[in-house]
């Protein structure tokens, strides 16, 4: 009898622990984190006219911004409302968001522990614990240097692509502007019937632009010159083919990060926008080129990313002093 009881106790305790864990994985309530919605004066240069304008929204993104679609939408809607009140939004306005603004979408719908994690490793670990079976399958199928991050981005990819298009396409439609939605990392992303889809191939960093009706303007814009940490879980495509996008203001070229400094823009580009621009490109981008010609260009820096998304996965995100947001407007000159 005692032997049976001794065997039964661990079994019961294990069953209780498993039941508790399964209940925990289903609890997706977010924690009480707050976004920073302060606004600051908009810096503007150039002469207002009918040719349109480029508007950079540089923000210090926080884990709180990724608690829900509504939170992230509200963060950028706050600044777009400010720009509209200042008379800076029109049918020829092109709004540009920071690099990796879409990559943090893996945290949407996850438990509060994910948002409260200090490092990328911890955020990915909590996400994995909340999605154990999918995570294990994805983990066994990849051989990257950061297998945990790649596995999480793969299991969340379908939802991330949907959220990315819903949030940023919705902002473009709501404010009737063209919007360059920073960038996002997805497995073999592609456009099909005006929807962003994912595949099973390598993780790629891409940018998608939406027109004033919230519809994608193809093709996707890829990042080629990946940083050291980005290469741990993603790959650059082999073909380096820069193309322009048709917008109401003219032909738009999008260059992500070091791509804007290392490769010449397409010859037919009327203007260039650069999400992920660097304060000192020479130190981070080998073989950086000097900007050539008089083509207007707008550099959009990332003031901060949650969980140290593009740094060491073990290091916490740095709490840098400085403004939570900077808006820069560039009026485009009238083309001959």
């Amino acid at each position: 009898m005692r032997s049976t009881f001794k065997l039964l106790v661990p079994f019961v305790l294990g069953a209780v622990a498993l039941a508790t864990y399964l209940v925990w994985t289903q609890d997706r309530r977010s924690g009480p984190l707050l976004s920073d919605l302060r606004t600051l004066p908009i810096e503007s240069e150039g002469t207002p006219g009918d040719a349109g304008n480029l508007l950079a929204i540089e923000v210090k993104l926080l884990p709180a911004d990724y608690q829900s679609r509504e939170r992230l939408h509200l963060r950028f809607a706050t600044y777009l409302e400010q720009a509209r009140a200042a008379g800076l939004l029109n049918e020829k306005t092109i709004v540009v968001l920071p690099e990796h603004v879409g990559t943090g979408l893996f945290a949407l719908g996850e438990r509060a522990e994910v948002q409260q994690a200090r490092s990328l490793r911890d955020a990915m670990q909590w996400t994995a614990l909340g999605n154990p079976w999918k995570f294990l399958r994805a983990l066994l199928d990849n051989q990257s240097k950061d297998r945990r991050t790649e596995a999480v981005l793969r299991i969340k990819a379908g939802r991330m692509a949907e959220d990315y298009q819903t949030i940023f396409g919705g902002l473009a439609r709501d404010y009737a502007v063209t919007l360059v939605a920073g960038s996002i990392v997805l497995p073999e992303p592609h456009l099909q019937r005006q929807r962003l889809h994912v595949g099973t191939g390598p993780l790629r960093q891409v940018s998608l632009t939406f027109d004033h009706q919230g519809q994608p303007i193809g093709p996707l814009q890829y990042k080629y010159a990946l940083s050291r940490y980005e290469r741990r879980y993603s790959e650059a495509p082999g073909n380096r083919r820069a193309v322009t996008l048709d917008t109401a203001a003219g032909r738009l070229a999008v260059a992500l990060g070091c791509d804007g400094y290392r490769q010449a823009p397409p010859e037919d580009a009327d203007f260039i926008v650069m999400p992920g621009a660097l304060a000192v490109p020479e130190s981070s981008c080998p073989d950086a080129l000097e900007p050539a010609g008089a083509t207007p260009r707008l550099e959009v820096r990332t003031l901060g990313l949650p969980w140290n998304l593009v740094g060491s996965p073990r290091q916490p995100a740095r709490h840098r002093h400085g403004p939570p947001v900077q808006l820069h407007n560039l009026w485009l000159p009238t083309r001959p």
Side-chain angles (χ1 to χ4, degrees):
M1 185 68 179
R2 288 184 178 179
S3 298
T4 303
F5 181 75
K6 288 181 179 180
L7 292 174
L8 188 60
V9 169
F11 176 78
V12 172
L13 291 176
V16 171
L18 178 60
T20 302
Y21 172 64
L22 292 176
V23 171
W24 178 85
T25 62
Q26 300 304 311
D27 183 0
R28 304 287 169 152
R29 291 173 294 181
S30 296
L33 301 178
L34 299 177
S35 298
D36 192 336
L37 300 179
R38 290 176 292 170
T39 59
L40 292 172
I42 301 173
E43 299 179 1
S44 189
E45 60 179 294
T47 303
D50 298 329
N53 59 308
L54 307 177
L55 178 65
I57 301 181
E58 302 176 338
V59 296
K60 187 183 296 182
L61 290 163
L62 304 170
D65 298 321
Y66 293 95
Q67 291 183 97
S68 67
R69 286 182 179 180
E70 293 75 20
R71 280 290 189 94
L72 194 58
H73 183 281
L74 175 63
R75 183 77 193 270
F76 289 103
T78 299
Y79 309 130
L80 289 169
E81 286 289 351
Q82 181 189 8
R84 181 156 64 182
L88 297 179
L89 300 188
N90 59 72
E91 62 180 8
K92 292 185 178 180
T93 298
I94 297 177
V95 177
V96 191
L97 305 186
E99 187 181 32
H100 281 294
V101 68
T103 308
L105 291 170
F106 76 87
L108 259 65
E110 292 299 325
R111 292 181 50 83
E113 286 85 353
V114 176
Q115 281 87 22
Q116 294 168 4
R118 297 186 62 203
S119 68
L120 181 62
R121 183 186 65 173
D122 292 345
M124 294 299 176
Q125 187 65 49
W126 282 113
T127 306
L129 287 172
N131 305 270
W133 316 124
K134 293 180 180 179
F135 174 77
L136 287 174
R137 286 197 299 269
L139 189 67
L140 294 173
D141 288 340
N142 78 73
Q143 297 296 326
S144 67
K145 292 182 179 179
D146 190 347
R147 297 176 65 201
R148 182 189 291 112
T149 297
E150 179 176 348
V152 167
L153 292 178
R154 285 187 180 279
I155 66 175
K156 299 301 296 286
R159 173 72 181 273
M160 288 171 64
E162 180 183 343
D163 289 336
Y164 181 77
Q165 184 159 359
T166 298
I167 294 169
F168 299 115
L171 285 167
R173 181 188 63 248
D174 293 347
Y175 292 91
V177 296
T178 299
L179 188 142
V180 181
S183 67
I184 185 172
V185 176
L186 296 169
E188 210 64 72
H190 58 278
L191 284 174
Q192 183 177 352
R193 296 181 180 178
Q194 294 294 88
R195 301 299 302 177
L196 180 61
H197 294 271
V198 299
T200 58
L203 293 178
R204 311 286 194 193
Q205 186 179 163
V206 297
S207 178
L208 182 56
T209 299
F210 298 93
D211 66 18
H212 68 282
Q213 294 180 329
Q215 295 300 312
I217 304 175
L220 293 171
Q221 306 293 296
Y222 288 83
K223 183 174 183 179
Y224 298 97
L226 300 176
S227 71
R228 175 164 61 104
Y229 290 109
E230 289 169 336
R231 290 196 299 271
R232 289 176 59 87
Y233 55 82
S234 62
E235 299 179 24
N239 57 322
R240 292 174 175 261
R241 189 171 64 91
V243 297
T244 54
L245 306 175
D246 251 332
T247 73
R251 302 290 296 177
L252 165 68
V254 179
L256 296 172
C258 283
D259 290 350
Y261 305 104
R262 297 181 61 181
Q263 60 186 42
E267 293 183 358
D268 62 337
D270 294 318
F271 36 83
I272 307 160
V273 299
M274 296 171 54
L278 303 167
V280 187
E282 296 81 7
S283 63
S284 302
C285 305
D287 306 320
L289 304 174
E290 289 292 330
T295 305
R297 58 193 286 144
L298 182 72
E299 299 189 355
V300 186
R301 295 177 176 83
T302 303
L303 301 185
L305 288 170
W307 311 293
N308 201 19
L309 265 176
V310 291
S312 169
R314 297 175 180 272
Q315 296 296 323
R318 296 178 182 177
H319 296 287
R320 298 175 179 173
H321 297 289
V325 61
Q326 293 178 346
L327 271 64
H328 302 278
N329 178 66
L330 173 64
W331 290 103
L332 294 171
T334 302
R335 295 193 302 274

